[in-house]
Amino acid sequence: MQPSMFNLRVPLPDRGEVFLMNTLTDAQLVVSEDVAALLDRFGTDGHPAAGRRVIALADDEREAVEVLKENGFLVTDRASERRTIDTFFHATTTNTSELHVTVLTTLQCNFACDYCFQGDHGDHNKFAEKMSPETAAAVGDWIERELDNVRPEKLALMFFGGEPLLNLPVLYSLAERMHGAATQRHVPFSFTIITNGLLLTPDVVDRLLPYGLHGVKITLDGDRDTHNRMRPLRGGQGTFDRIVENVRQVAGRVRVGIGGNFDQSSVDSYPALLDFLSQQDFADKLVKVNFKPIVRGPAVANAPKGVLPLMPVSAEGKPLAGTCMTSAGAGHGSVCDSCNFAEEKMSFLREETKRHGFPTPDGVHGGPCHVHMKHAHTIGPDGSLYACPGFTGEKGLSTGHIDDRVEGWRESARQKFDRLSPWSDCGDCAFIPVCAGGCLVASHTELGDMTRPTCHKRVFESALISLAHDVASTH
């Protein structure tokens, strides 16, 4: 036996203990320093022969070894463990328990965010795609066919954009139809909406709740003044007060999560935002609060001062895949940790969010992303299929169409995505099961090659320390 390559540990010297985690089994143990030392006696990757030698054990040590084996901290050998990770990814990518479909009702937006080349800038909305009722009906047909082919245990939809509430007729019709289709097939159904919150009213929520509305995610980019600078209407009017009032009115009706996008000019305003939110009468109704860096391509002309030079606007100033940048990298884990500033601030804001009593992702559990899952799809406003919302609008990366048309370039893109396994280049990194090589949109945009991984190790390591102390505090 030898230690698993997916073992992680955080010393807890004040307690004389060690936090152990295995990212493949998700086992988390707080053990004595003696047990951690016992694990070390079985060798390391640097001394593989140690894993094969006979180790004399006392009775209590044998019991500890059995616990370590049961939880995946000790494995037979490295070759069998590599087969296990291959099995894990195959099972994950082909899993049929959930059919997950993201629908972009429109690429139009009513905001003019200063970090986004999409939105209500210039003539974008004049030419941005908007799903027609006819296309929406075809989307419904396609999803029903997938329900019958995949036979999932549940159906989940996410409405996105642009600003999805700018096309309420399509959103209403698809929500109602999919609720009926799932009910007819005895399949549990729910859906969520990612929205800027300006048009989110009690009437909208009440209309959708009977059809399975599970939650909404709304973006606030800092305190009132900062948000109004970052996310105004085209005429420059602020949006913070109206969004907060909308949250107040719907928070008792539906699950509400708050997201936010920060850069160097705005990050210091987030503690004030958290102070403000914690004082609101809806504070205890927020189900998640999570902030991440604004991301941009490396050579965007006229980029606002302070924007992190990271991702999703291309060097030509093209908006990332035409989709709202609010959820770039939000699938599972951040795409935005390639600079120390982002890493430090993400850790700082995660701890601030916890300190204010709000639920927030632990930063360790995240992947693999939906982009790797055979039965997770994104549908653009024209009915084109994509592996991920981040690629929507970049037609050359469309993997199919809801009308099942056969086109060589789409089939080529589909096969390319099917073959992707960026984690194969990650060596023996212990975070592979929860990262899977990072965000493919980041790889495509930052590196020009979606087959290459984007590394998030330092962010994971920081989050691991925080998780260790949280788990230890409950023991």
Side-chain angles (χ1 to χ4, degrees):
M1 290 186 296
Q2 66 184 97
S4 167
M5 62 186 282
F6 303 114
N7 288 349
L8 297 164
R9 68 175 66 190
V10 177
L12 303 169
D14 292 345
R15 302 166 55 102
E17 295 176 316
V18 177
F19 172 77
L20 299 178
M21 178 177 182
N22 185 281
T23 57
L24 183 57
T25 64
D26 196 30
Q28 300 168 41
L29 301 175
V30 177
V31 301
S32 68
E33 292 174 340
D34 289 341
V35 171
L38 174 62
L39 182 59
D40 291 337
R41 285 167 59 188
F42 283 85
T44 66
D45 289 346
H47 300 84
R52 295 192 294 268
R53 69 170 180 249
V54 176
I55 298 176
L57 298 172
D59 289 343
D60 59 340
E61 290 179 327
R62 288 192 184 93
E63 294 179 7
V65 166
E66 287 303 311
V67 172
L68 293 172
K69 286 170 57 180
E70 290 171 5
N71 287 277
F73 293 103
L74 282 172
V75 298
T76 303
D77 54 51
R78 189 65 70 238
S80 62
E81 188 166 39
R82 291 194 184 282
R83 290 193 293 272
T84 300
I85 191 66
D86 290 341
T87 300
F88 166 79
F89 277 115
H90 177 75
T92 299
T93 57
T94 60
N95 189 291
T96 60
S97 63
E98 178 182 276
L99 174 60
H100 189 282
V101 183
T102 299
V103 178
L104 278 72
T105 65
T106 181
L107 296 182
Q108 296 176 350
C109 185
N110 49 355
F111 275 27
C113 302
D114 73 350
Y115 51 80
C116 184
F117 279 77
Q118 190 201 3
D120 200 2
H121 294 282
D123 57 1
H124 172 84
N125 283 342
K126 181 178 179 180
F127 299 103
E129 294 176 336
K130 186 175 184 179
M131 186 174 288
S132 68
E134 294 77 17
T135 299
V139 169
D141 293 341
W142 184 87
I143 295 176
E144 290 200 38
R145 292 198 300 273
E146 286 294 294
L147 280 171
D148 294 334
N149 291 334
V150 178
R151 303 179 70 84
E153 297 173 18
K154 61 181 177 180
L155 170 64
L157 259 62
M158 181 174 75
F159 291 103
F160 188 38
E163 170 48 47
L165 299 186
L166 287 174
N167 197 356
L168 277 173
V170 158
L171 197 157
Y172 286 153
S173 68
L174 278 173
E176 294 172 16
R177 177 173 174 180
M178 290 305 98
H179 177 269
T183 300
Q184 184 181 26
R185 292 164 174 81
H186 306 289
V187 175
F189 168 66
S190 65
F191 67 94
T192 56
I193 304 172
I194 296 181
T195 171
N196 59 37
L198 198 70
L199 303 177
L200 187 69
T201 65
D203 287 345
V204 170
V205 170
D206 291 345
R207 170 77 180 269
L208 293 170
L209 281 172
Y211 300 106
L213 176 61
H214 179 68
V216 295
K217 176 190 172 185
I218 297 169
T219 302
L220 292 172
D221 281 358
D223 62 12
R224 184 178 186 275
D225 290 343
T226 305
H227 172 94
N228 287 339
R229 170 176 62 81
M230 302 282 284
R231 297 177 66 82
L233 297 175
R234 184 174 186 180
Q237 303 95 325
T239 57
F240 185 88
D241 290 342
R242 182 170 167 184
I243 293 171
V244 169
E245 184 56 33
N246 286 348
V247 171
R248 191 184 319 281
Q249 293 186 42
V250 305
R253 289 172 158 86
V254 66
R255 292 162 54 92
V256 176
I258 298 294
N261 310 296
F262 64 84
D263 66 11
Q264 289 170 318
S265 73
S266 64
V267 65
D268 291 337
S269 73
Y270 277 80
L273 170 64
L274 290 165
D275 287 342
F276 173 84
L277 291 175
S278 66
Q279 296 166 9
Q280 302 308 302
D281 54 6
F282 55 76
D284 61 342
K285 298 181 177 66
L286 298 178
V287 299
K288 184 169 73 171
V289 178
N290 189 31
F291 308 121
K292 66 181 188 293
I294 293 168
V295 287
R296 278 201 188 279
V300 179
N302 302 317
K305 181 178 180 181
V307 168
L308 302 181
L310 296 176
M311 205 213 18
V313 176
S314 72
E316 293 77 27
K318 179 181 178 182
L320 171 65
T323 53
C324 178
M325 290 162 60
T326 290
S327 78
H332 297 282
S334 172
V335 306
C336 320
D337 48 16
S338 55
C339 76
N340 290 331
F341 169 83
E343 294 169 0
E344 293 170 2
K345 294 303 182 181
M346 287 172 69
S347 298
F348 167 71
L349 290 179
R350 181 171 54 247
E351 295 308 310
E352 278 293 292
T353 302
K354 288 161 55 178
R355 186 176 67 81
H356 282 80
F358 293 116
T360 193
D362 62 30
V364 177
H365 298 88
C369 175
H370 276 152
V371 73
H372 298 295
M373 300 179 187
K374 182 178 180 181
H375 302 299
H377 308 273
T378 295
I379 304 177
D382 69 341
S384 290
L385 294 167
Y386 298 88
C388 164
F391 295 111
T392 309
E394 192 164 346
K395 293 296 176 63
L397 295 176
S398 170
T399 56
H401 195 278
I402 57 172
D403 64 9
D404 295 330
R405 67 183 68 170
V406 178
E407 295 174 302
W409 59 277
R410 295 185 198 263
E411 179 63 14
S412 176
R414 184 190 66 77
Q415 293 177 1
K416 182 176 183 178
F417 278 98
D418 286 347
R419 292 192 300 267
L420 289 175
S421 57
W423 57 86
S424 300
D425 291 335
C426 295
D428 291 346
C429 178
F431 292 104
I432 287 175
V434 294
C435 175
C439 176
L440 295 188
V441 177
S443 296
H444 175 63
T445 308
E446 290 182 316
L447 307 176
D449 182 359
M450 69 176 69
T451 67
R452 295 171 57 191
T454 48
C455 186
H456 315 304
K457 190 171 184 178
R458 285 176 293 183
V459 169
F460 278 120
E461 289 172 339
S462 173
L464 177 71
I465 295 171
S466 178
L467 175 63
H469 288 281
D470 287 346
V471 171
S473 68
T474 64
H475 283 66

